[in-house]
Amino acid sequence: MGLGVDKRNILLIYTGGTIGMMKDYTSGALKAFDFSQLVKNIPELNQLDCTISSFSFDHPIDSSNMNPTHWVAISDIITEKYHDYDGFVVLHGSDTMSYTASALSFLLENLSKPVILTGSQLPIGDLRTDAKENLITAIQIAALCEKRKAVIQEVGLYFEYKLYRANRTTKINAEHFQAFASLNYPHLIESGVHLTVFNEYLLPQKKKLTLKSHRNMDDNVAILKIFPGINKNVIDAILQAENLKALVLETYGSGNAPMEEWFLEKLNNAINKGIHIINVTQCSGGAVMMGHYETSSRLKKMQVINGKDITTEAAITKAMYLLGSGISNELFKTVFETSLRGEML
């Protein structure tokens, strides 16, 4: 495929995170990077044939403080500027980047432009920083076009030479530059001497559709990781939480859970009360296959939702999105088990 960078307009959205920090060499303290001086500080960007504008949150957010209100705010900025720019790069702290990236994939429906999230393990001003490469290549990817159409038309996450489908990622390492992985889906682009695009893994480009931006995320959800010895009090504390509407249940292996009657009865009672129970594997890779073993067949019979190969990050944000959309209880299971943005098989 012949790739080209037409003269593209890219909007850089800085939400917070390590990538936006620079060291004050006088005091040794970290201070916020001035993204309005981006090209001045990173002259390599002049080699990209695109115009870069920036927007920074008034108060940068540590990614540990990210929540659905912030996700909607980022989505709103992209929606508001959608017709003014050809691509978007969102700079974000790495700790919860996969959650934000997954949420944005659901909030932004019918994308025909790239939304690329990136960040870094070291501040942009550090000697050995990974920030410059991540930032430069993320902008380059956001500007990639062929026949005047964006090559990437989905939400992606770029880190350490690879672009991943955003809602397939999880953070796997707090120290290495290769901080993210997509264990159940191949990466979309690899950065080496050249940018190699794996077209067969991109979301199929649809006919020109109007961007549909969603603004409601319902946070009445929870995640429960099953472990040997989990007791009734813990299960009750979660399932009896006020207004709980959905529970992401992290099970063993291919979707297996304890077969003790009290445990199954509590899950069944919760489902009968209208709480959606979503079965995802606590393994880093692989998929839920309910009914494959006896220890998951009972879950299948009681209509526990099959999370297939979805990540926990995508499962929780998809649940928030579907609940926020006002979907009926009767349809929730069917829609959840359907891939909406390439987040599951």
Side-chain angles (χ1 to χ4, degrees):
M1 180 176 77
L3 296 176
V5 181
D6 200 358
K7 189 72 174 178
R8 312 288 275 178
N9 292 316
I10 305 300
L11 180 63
L12 198 67
I13 302 170
Y14 175 60
T15 67
T18 300
I19 194 169
M21 296 289 113
M22 283 198 76
K23 183 176 285 187
D24 184 326
Y25 289 101
T26 305
S27 65
L30 292 175
K31 62 180 182 179
F33 181 80
D34 183 359
F35 281 94
S36 66
Q37 301 296 311
L38 183 66
V39 176
K40 179 182 176 183
N41 283 281
I42 308 178
E44 296 94 328
L45 290 171
N46 284 309
Q47 297 178 50
L48 297 178
D49 191 18
C50 60
T51 303
I52 304 166
S53 303
S54 65
F55 176 94
S56 295
F57 275 30
D58 292 335
H59 303 287
I61 303 163
D62 186 291
S63 72
S64 296
N65 293 321
M66 275 285 170
N67 62 47
T69 301
H70 299 128
W71 299 338
V72 171
I74 298 167
S75 174
D76 283 349
I77 294 166
I78 293 168
T79 302
E80 182 184 337
K81 305 288 187 182
Y82 194 70
H83 296 293
D84 299 327
Y85 293 92
D86 301 299
F88 302 86
V89 173
V90 179
L91 303 182
H92 192 288
S94 62
D95 284 352
T96 61
M97 191 186 297
S98 288
Y99 289 94
T100 298
S102 297
L104 289 176
S105 76
F106 297 119
L107 290 170
L108 297 166
E109 186 177 356
N110 296 336
L111 265 181
S112 59
K113 298 179 181 182
V115 174
I116 311 298
L117 283 86
T118 195
S120 64
Q121 296 286 63
L122 290 174
I124 204 165
D126 270 25
L127 179 64
R128 296 179 53 256
T129 186
D130 55 331
K132 282 191 177 183
E133 196 284 322
N134 285 349
L135 177 60
I136 291 168
T137 307
I139 293 171
Q140 186 176 15
I141 288 170
L144 278 180
C145 64
E146 184 183 52
K147 297 178 181 176
R148 307 188 69 83
K149 287 186 178 181
V151 172
I152 303 298
Q153 299 189 9
E154 57 183 285
V155 183
L157 189 157
Y158 180 79
F159 226 89
E160 188 65 5
Y161 306 118
K162 290 180 181 177
L163 177 74
Y164 307 101
R165 175 163 300 152
N167 54 36
R168 289 290 195 153
T169 62
T170 193
K171 187 174 181 181
I172 58 163
N173 201 298
E175 294 186 3
H176 295 173
F177 286 147
Q178 191 172 344
F180 290 87
S182 171
L183 294 166
N184 285 336
Y185 198 79
H187 53 278
L188 310 179
I189 291 180
E190 186 161 353
S191 173
V193 175
H194 305 286
L195 283 180
T196 303
V197 181
F198 302 102
N199 293 290
E200 63 271 30
Y201 301 132
L202 302 179
L203 279 179
Q205 296 188 3
K206 301 173 183 175
K207 293 180 180 178
K208 185 76 172 177
L209 295 171
T210 303
L211 177 70
K212 187 175 182 181
S213 180
H214 301 273
R215 305 196 73 254
N216 297 316
M217 299 284 275
D218 190 328
D219 63 3
N220 288 294
V221 298
I223 299 171
L224 176 61
K225 185 169 186 170
I226 298 298
F227 58 89
I230 192 167
N231 64 45
K232 297 178 184 180
N233 293 333
V234 172
I235 300 294
D236 284 340
I238 298 292
L239 292 178
Q240 293 175 15
E242 189 175 358
N243 296 324
L244 181 69
K245 297 177 184 176
L247 175 68
V248 174
L249 192 68
E250 287 195 349
T251 56
Y252 307 129
S254 57
N256 305 310
M259 289 293 100
E260 294 176 77
E261 286 302 325
W262 68 263
F263 176 77
L264 297 172
E265 184 179 335
K266 289 182 183 297
L267 290 187
N268 199 42
N269 288 341
I271 292 169
N272 290 336
K273 289 178 184 175
I275 296 174
H276 306 290
I277 309 290
I278 302 153
N279 189 355
V280 305
T281 176
Q282 55 186 253
C283 296
S284 299
V288 164
M289 295 182 287
M290 285 197 293
H292 189 65
Y293 293 100
E294 185 181 351
T295 43
S296 64
S297 59
R298 293 279 294 276
L299 301 180
K300 184 177 182 180
K301 286 178 183 175
M302 69 173 71
Q303 296 296 295
V304 167
I305 296 166
N306 188 346
K308 302 178 183 178
D309 65 343
I310 199 170
T311 63
T312 295
E313 293 91 334
I316 201 74
T317 52
K318 186 175 184 178
M320 289 182 183
Y321 162 69
L322 290 180
L323 291 170
S325 73
I327 192 170
S328 69
N329 275 0
E330 292 74 26
L331 280 177
F332 188 97
K333 183 178 189 294
T334 300
V335 177
F336 195 98
E337 292 180 346
T338 302
S339 180
L340 303 179
R341 313 281 193 271
E343 75 279 1
M344 66 197 318
L345 287 174

